[in-house]
Each structure stands twice: as structure tokens, then as C-alpha cells.
């Protein structure tokens, strides 16, 4: 091979490597760009096209008509508190029940407000409880830049417990209830060191971890195959670490439940295709304390109460009667 041929071959190799490097960089940039897009969709407050919009009109045909009317007419106290990290002003409703020393902290779901959770205020008020319903960071009237999927909110919930005890006295008996993202918040809160006044937890359709839920949604909502879903979720998790402060895999209900010894009632709809029903079994197995489980027949995501209002009340009341006097 002549020197000229050798130089030509060497130049072709360089061009090939350069082309491969450019392609790899473009692929990486496209993944990062897609990661930022999905971070915006998942974590930045705003309208979410994948969520069904709820109407403010209360229809008499609604199985929870009376609960919604009661909530709308009932006076509420406005409570405010700084988030656990001191960055944001958080907003809450407090509804007192006569002279009761029993309080349920009601944790709303993903993008939900304290008004959306009003049906659960009605449920627990009927059972003789005060209710404290704080809005998570970046939802409703609470300040915040990003939706935290319950992980930073667990520390806020612990602070709400302390705030409640200071405001209403140490004789309080406290239950923590959450729906959907709020259910995950309740479960992750259960793994923290909490005052003895926290007597029990109820979670409805919470996920096993933020990463599990994001991976599932990527497949279910966008029909995304395993590749590129896996690397995309990892990039999204890294962006979440930079922006929100945690890797999504660390935000695990299962790991937190492994540290919980308090009683917990687990509820999930059998037809839940947003947070898959199978997640309830991993969560149920993980907790160390007394526990009960109910998979509500034919109920979709966060609809167990509306599909089975009487059974829901009965099961909640029966569970709480064992641990709150």
C-alpha cells in the first residue's frame, strides 16, 4: 500500500469516527431534550392533557352528591405554613368537628386542590373527625416550582403534624389519609419518625415508587417500548435530581413502608390503569405494622369511593375504630 493510499484510508477512518461521534452526540442530545420535555409534562404545574378535566357542576345523579354539597356549604379555616425546607408558603383547609380531638390529615392527589379532596373531608367529618387538608407544593394555592410526586411533601406532612399539635394540643389523635399521589405521600411519610399522636394511615391507589409510576405511564400513555423508555426515564430522573432534589428511584413507598410499624389500610380500584392495581400488593407486603387491604371491584383510578360509597365508609370506619378512640 502506497503512502497516498494509507493517508486516504486514515482520512476515511477519521471521517467515520467523526460521523459516529456526531450521531452519538445527536442521539444523546435528543434524549436529553426528550427528558426535559417529559419533565415539563410531569413535574411543572399546568394543564395536563392526559388527565380528565373535572366539572364544577354538582349533579344529583353523582353518588357523592351530598358530600360535595356539604363541602361547598361548610365553613373552612384557612391555615398557612412554610414548607419543611422553608422555601414555600403552603395552604390548607381546616374543618373542625365540634370539640373532637381526632383529626385526619387529608392529602390530595396529583395536581389536585383541597377542593378536589373535599369529598374525603365530608367522609371523615361524618365519622367525627376534624380534617386538615393541605395542598402539596405547586398545587392549588400552595407555592412551589415543581410537583414533587409526594417525596418532598412527606416532610411537609410531618411539619403539618407538628403544626396541628401546636395549634390544637397534644391530646390530638391523628390519622394520615392520601389519595393517588397523596396515597404515596402518606406511605412515604409513614417511614419517618413521627409523634406518638399519629395513630394510623390510610392510602388509596398510591404507587410503589415515583420511578415505577413514571416508567408505567411512559408505556401506558405514550406506548413507549422498553427502549427508549429505560434511558429516557433515567435522564428524566437526573433532571429531577437537579431541579427538585431527588432521584425518582429513591422516592420509594416500599422502602419507607419497611420502616413503618403503625396500622395502615390499603385501598385500590381493581380497574386502575393509571396507577396499576398490582402496585397495592407490593406496598401491602412492605409495611411492618397491622394492615388491611381492599381492592374495590370495578373501580378505576381514585374512584373506589364514588363506585362503592357505602362500602368505602364502612371499611374506613371499621379500620379506624380499632386504633383511634
Amino acid at each position: 500500500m502506497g503512502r497516498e493510499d494509507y493517508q486516504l484510508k486514515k482520512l476515511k477512518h477519521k471521517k467515520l469516527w467523526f460521523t459516529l461521534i456526531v450521531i452519538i452526540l445527536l442521539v444523546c442530545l435528543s434524549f436529553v431534550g426528550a427528558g426535559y420535555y417529559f419533565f415539563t409534562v410531569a413535574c411543572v404545574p399546568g394543564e395536563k392533557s392526559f388527565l380528565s378535566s373535572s366539572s364544577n357542576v354538582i349533579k344529583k345523579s353523582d353518588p357523592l352528591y351530598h358530600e360535595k354539597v356539604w363541602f361547598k356549604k361548610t365553613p373552612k379555616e384557612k391555615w398557612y405554613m412554610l414548607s419543611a425546607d422553608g422555601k414555600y408558603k403552603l395552604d390548607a383547609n381546616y374543618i373542625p368537628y365540634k370539640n373532637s380531638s381526632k383529626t385526619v390529615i387529608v392529602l390530595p392527589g396529583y395536581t389536585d386542590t383541597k377542593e378536589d379532596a373535599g369529598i374525603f373531608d365530608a367522609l371523615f367529618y361524618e365519622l367525627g373527625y376534624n380534617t386538615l387538608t393541605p395542598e402539596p407544593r405547586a398545587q392549588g394555592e400552595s407555592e412551589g416550582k415543581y410537583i414533587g410526586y409526594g417525596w418532598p411533601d412527606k416532610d411537609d406532612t410531618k411539619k403539618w403534624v407538628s403544626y396541628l399539635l401546636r395549634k390544637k394540643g397534644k391530646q390530638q389523635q391523628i390519622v394520615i389519609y392520601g389519595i393517588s399521589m397523596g396515597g404515596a405521600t402518606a406511605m412515604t411519610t409513614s417511614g419517618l419518625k413521627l409523634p406518638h399522636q399519629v395513630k394510623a394511615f390510610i392510602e388509596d391507589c398510591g404507587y410503589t415508587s415515583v420511578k415505577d409510576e413514571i416508567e408505567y405511564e411512559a408505556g401506558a400513555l405514550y406506548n413507549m417500548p422498553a427502549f427508549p423508555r429505560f434511558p429516557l426515564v433515567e435522564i428524566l430522573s437526573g433532571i429531577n435530581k437537579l431541579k427538585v432534589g431527588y432521584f425518582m428511584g429513591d422516592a420509594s413507598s416500599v422502602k419507607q413502608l419497611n420502616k413503618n410499624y403503625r396500622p395502615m389500610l390499603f385501598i385500590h380500584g381493581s380497574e386502575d390503569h393509571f396507577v396499576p392495581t398490582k402496585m397495592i400488593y407490593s406496598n401491602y407486603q412492605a409495611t411492618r405494622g397491622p394492615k388491611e387491604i381492599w381492592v374495590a371491584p370495578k373501580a378505576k383510578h381514585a374512584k373506589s369511593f364514588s363506585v362503592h360509597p357505602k362500602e368505602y365508609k364502612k371499611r374506613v370506619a371499621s379500620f379506624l375504630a380499632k386504633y383511634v378512640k
Side-chain angles (χ1 to χ4, degrees):
M1 181 184 295
R3 181 176 179 82
E4 190 174 316
D5 291 336
Y6 174 77
Q7 291 295 337
L8 186 61
K9 188 174 182 181
K10 188 176 180 182
L11 182 60
K12 286 181 178 179
H13 280 149
K14 284 183 178 180
K15 285 182 177 179
L16 178 61
W17 278 110
F18 178 77
T19 303
L20 287 173
I21 290 169
V22 169
I23 291 171
I24 291 169
L25 286 174
L26 288 174
V27 170
C28 290
L29 285 173
S30 67
F31 269 107
V32 171
Y36 267 99
Y37 169 76
F38 283 111
F39 174 80
T40 301
V41 169
C43 302
V44 176
E47 291 291 328
K48 306 297 179 184
S49 60
F50 53 87
L51 297 178
S52 57
S53 57
S54 57
S55 171
N56 292 324
V57 179
I58 304 173
K59 299 178 181 179
K60 287 191 175 181
S61 58
D62 190 326
L64 299 177
Y65 171 80
H66 295 291
E67 284 80 2
K68 291 180 179 179
V69 170
W70 174 89
F71 177 78
K72 194 171 184 179
K73 292 181 177 179
T74 299
K76 298 119 184 140
E77 296 179 20
K78 287 281 191 178
W79 285 18
Y80 301 97
M81 181 191 79
L82 282 179
S83 58
D85 56 12
K87 292 181 178 179
Y88 307 112
K89 183 181 179 182
L90 304 179
D91 179 86
N93 277 344
Y94 178 78
I95 302 176
Y97 180 89
K98 300 178 182 177
N99 295 315
S100 177
S101 61
K102 303 185 296 183
T103 301
V104 177
I105 298 178
V106 177
L107 304 173
Y110 177 73
T111 74
D112 284 346
T113 66
K114 50 191 181 295
E115 284 73 28
D116 294 316
I119 55 174
F120 303 106
D121 290 334
L123 164 65
F124 291 112
Y125 187 91
E126 185 180 327
L127 297 178
Y129 287 80
N130 315 302
T131 60
L132 173 61
T133 307
E135 289 175 322
R137 301 181 188 198
Q139 295 186 198
E141 295 180 68
S142 284
E143 295 177 349
K145 293 176 70 176
Y146 305 112
I147 297 171
Y149 278 82
W151 190 246
D153 307 297
K154 72 184 187 308
D155 301 308
D156 297 335
T157 303
K158 180 178 179 179
K159 191 174 179 182
W160 278 116
V161 169
S162 298
Y163 187 77
L164 174 66
L165 292 174
R166 287 199 308 273
K167 205 167 174 71
K168 293 299 177 180
K170 293 185 178 180
Q171 78 284 359
Q172 287 284 311
Q173 297 182 81
I174 300 170
V175 175
I176 297 177
Y177 169 92
I179 181 85
S180 189
M181 187 187 91
T185 308
M187 289 187 285
T188 54
T189 302
S190 76
L192 302 178
K193 186 176 181 181
L194 298 168
H196 67 86
Q197 288 92 343
V198 177
K199 302 299 181 183
F201 294 85
I202 302 174
E203 77 84 22
D204 186 337
C205 62
Y207 33 81
T208 49
S209 76
V210 176
K211 185 179 179 182
D212 290 345
E213 179 60 14
I214 294 294
E215 285 184 343
Y216 173 81
E217 288 178 4
L221 298 178
Y222 298 96
N223 297 313
M224 193 180 295
F227 186 87
R229 187 169 68 220
F230 174 76
L232 186 58
V233 171
E234 292 298 323
I235 290 169
L236 173 57
S237 180
I239 295 169
N240 196 74
K241 173 67 174 177
L242 292 172
K243 298 284 190 179
V244 191
Y246 71 93
F247 290 112
M248 289 180 165
D250 293 337
S252 170
S253 299
V254 170
K255 289 179 182 177
Q256 290 295 102
L257 286 165
N258 272 317
K259 296 182 274 187
N260 173 56
Y261 291 87
R262 288 179 171 88
M264 184 169 289
L265 171 60
F266 297 84
I267 301 171
H268 218 111
S270 68
E271 301 300 319
D272 193 336
H273 303 297
F274 192 75
V275 176
T277 306
K278 65 180 182 180
M279 287 189 178
I280 190 176
Y281 301 107
S282 298
N283 289 330
Y284 177 78
Q285 290 297 327
T287 193
R288 305 285 185 91
K291 53 190 173 182
E292 296 179 23
I293 185 172
W294 177 44
V295 177
K298 299 181 180 179
K300 295 182 179 180
H301 183 66
K303 297 298 182 184
S304 296
F305 187 23
S306 59
V307 174
H308 304 281
K310 291 182 179 179
E311 182 70 11
Y312 200 101
K313 291 176 187 177
K314 180 181 176 182
R315 287 180 179 269
V316 167
S318 174
F319 172 76
L320 292 180
K322 299 172 186 176
Y323 307 107
V324 184
K325 306 305 178 185

